[in-house]
Amino acid sequence: MTTPQREPVGLLDTNTVILLPQLSDPNQLPFEPLISAITLAELSIGPLVATDPAVRAARQTQLQQAEADFEPLPFDAAAARAFGRVAADLRNAGRKSAARAYDALIAAVAIANDLTLYTTNPTDFAAITELRVVAVPHPDRPGS
């Protein structure tokens, strides 16, 4: 894991995209934040599984905002090859890649595109050796 720094370009994890409106310091993020198609896939699940109409509407708004704000990086052949290395790292660390499949796919996109990943959950990515991670302070967890 790297120390927080502001890079020219970086990939945002899904949790960071969800928390964007709550982040108080834009210097915690890269100058040009990107997302992966995997993040859009994760965000698209939210409104479909919400049982409360207000929650469903809020999640739909998040999805639509992400679609409007970002052109997602694809999960392509290079990401597929990187995913194999990510899954092997997780397995070698005693973690099941299937349990964190979305995280592993997002990590693979970051690796394939030589991007640092910005996340509020850095421990989810701790075992992935090729991945550069910047921990973004979670707005609900002071000192994180």
Side-chain angles (χ1 to χ4, degrees), residues 45-135:
I45 297 166
L48 299 173
V49 298
T51 55
D52 179 271
V55 171
R56 183 179 308 112
R59 290 178 179 177
Q60 185 65 36
T61 298
Q62 283 178 330
L63 171 60
Q64 290 173 321
Q65 190 67 56
E67 290 173 331
D69 290 346
F70 298 98
E71 182 64 37
L73 294 172
F75 186 85
D76 58 10
R81 287 188 297 277
F83 177 77
R85 298 189 306 273
V86 168
D89 279 348
L90 292 173
R91 182 173 291 175
N92 290 335
R95 298 176 72 191
K96 295 186 187 285
S97 57
R100 306 293 319 173
Y102 296 119
D103 291 338
L105 292 166
I106 290 169
V109 171
I111 291 166
N113 290 279
D114 194 28
L115 296 170
T116 298
L117 182 68
Y118 288 73
T119 181
T120 61
N121 295 323
T123 57
D124 291 348
F125 301 94
I128 303 169
T129 58
E130 290 181 62
L131 185 65
R132 296 183 315 271
V133 175
V134 170

